[in-house]
Amino acid sequence: PQIPSVSMMKLCIIFTLIVLITCVHSEDFYTGAVVEYEPLDSNDLPSPMEVMAYNADRYNQFIYRASTLDVDIIVFPEYGVTGVMLSVEEDRERAKMFMVRGEVGVNYCDRENTDEVILNMISCSAKNSSIYVVINTGEMVECETDCENEDMLSFYNTNFVFDREGTLIAKYWKQNLFMEPVFEAPKEHTFTYFETDFGVTFGTFICFDALWGESLSLMQRYPNITDIVYPTAWVDELPFMLAPLEQNGWAVGMNVNFLASGYHGPEIGALGSGIYSPSGPLNYTYYETSGSNMVTSRIQKINRNLERKGQKNITKTDKEMLRNSEPNNLTGEYPNTTKIQPMKLRSHPMIYEDLSIYSHLLMTKGQPDVQTLCYNDTFCCHASYSLTNLLPHISYHLLAYKGERGLAGEYTIDIELCGLVLCREDGCGTELVVEEEEESFEFLELSANYSNNTIVIPSVLDWSGKLPDWDKVEVYSAEWVQGKEVIMSLEHSALFSAALYARVM
């Protein structure tokens, strides 16, 4: 027999090493997809089943397309199956026709003659495409005690999770409803998480839940959760809580990968979906005319054991590699849409936060400065910065606040905020500025001491209405018995707003 040459043996060894390194590296990642979906609404067709079947069929098209991209898990939005008008349906008998009944552990694709048509459609699509699928729709559950309705039924806003075989492996009932009278909140909160065959443990909750204590408790009770799947129909609020700000801020502030699937309804202020890491956005969409749109990304797995040893999960080099390797956004017709386009923020309805309750301090332009602003001597915001002085009609106000604030005239939450906002003669934080020149922070550092029982959401919006280049942003925190100091720094950024926005639980 012929003996291989030394050169050939070296080539074989090098090739084997490359294959091994590639395999190990690929195990550090999975591929996720979120769909921003513009559904047929609950009253767009004569019967509820027609509406739901149409939307579920569109879901199946996205699921199949995602499978061709080797996506491991795909997430669909809140109210995507039924349309958001179901939330205010006054005819309970009609609302009942939109509800499904789901039993964890059942494979609805394998079950013959099932009455659950929608669960069967999604189950079979998950199975045929071998992909984890997360949907949100209404569920009808028999009430046993303390029933609020004469029909002895409870309607819950529900997430359903299917595995690659089509089995329903988890479900979650929304605890914190946002003006959704057709649904009720469960009397006892149930925390929901699920494990996957690609080694990632996911938690899940819905939209408004992100601002309440149960979402924080989920992370505290189950520290093995590293990733969140998040169906939402978020309504934008300026200047700190547009959908991408809230979604990205949750990922960074809570040190998780965050897969947010948003309802696309610009006419009601609902748009924005994305995939975010603890080091910032990986891929997202926020554009009024995008319609239904699928966003995908490779996602680095978070290793909590490495964190305990003081090692950072995702470096800037890792993020650059991820962005260069991720698939493009895909619309319903699947053309490439490779660039998030800026938008004028008053072109769709939204909520405007009442900034008059905050302490304000005019910031210095044209030279470096250090300022401290306190609210009632109970909470202080510190800023170190250098801001250009090009546009005399543009100013920035430093803001500080600790206390209650209203939401949409219906709810009250406790917050602590250290931040800043762009102002013009007609007010602060209400509209982007379209100028050939921009005011820019050459450097900025915001810091404050927050209560322990808080979720601190870093919120940064650039001059054009997009998330900034997150490679320019760093967030640090240090905890002690009486609270935690949080610091956010950035450089060379034209800003509309920036804040460390804490929700006190």
Side-chain angles (χ1 to χ4, degrees), residues 200-252:
V200 174
T201 300
F202 289 86
T204 187
F205 45 84
I206 303 167
C207 200
F208 201 35
D209 286 328
L211 295 183
W212 295 87
E214 293 84 1
S215 60
L216 178 60
S217 296
L218 174 70
M219 303 301 300
Q220 292 172 336
R221 290 193 181 195
Y222 304 100
N224 56 320
I225 294 173
T226 58
D227 295 47
I228 299 292
V229 286
Y230 179 66
T232 182
W234 189 267
V235 176
D236 278 341
E237 181 188 77
L238 272 179
F240 301 117
M241 281 291 173
L242 302 183
L245 296 177
E246 179 258 344
Q247 294 162 12
N248 182 66
W250 225 95
V252 175

Side-chain angles (χ1 to χ4, degrees), residues 31 40 56 135 160 179 184 232 241 255 291 323 327 341 368 421 459 468:
T31 302
L40 279 186
I135 69 165
F160 295 93
M179 295 186 286
E184 57 190 89
T232 182
M241 281 291 173
N255 195 29
R323 288 167 182 158
Q341 301 184 44
V421 67
S459 172

Side-chain angles (χ1 to χ4, degrees), residues 1-5:
Q2 187 176 9
I3 298 175
S5 67

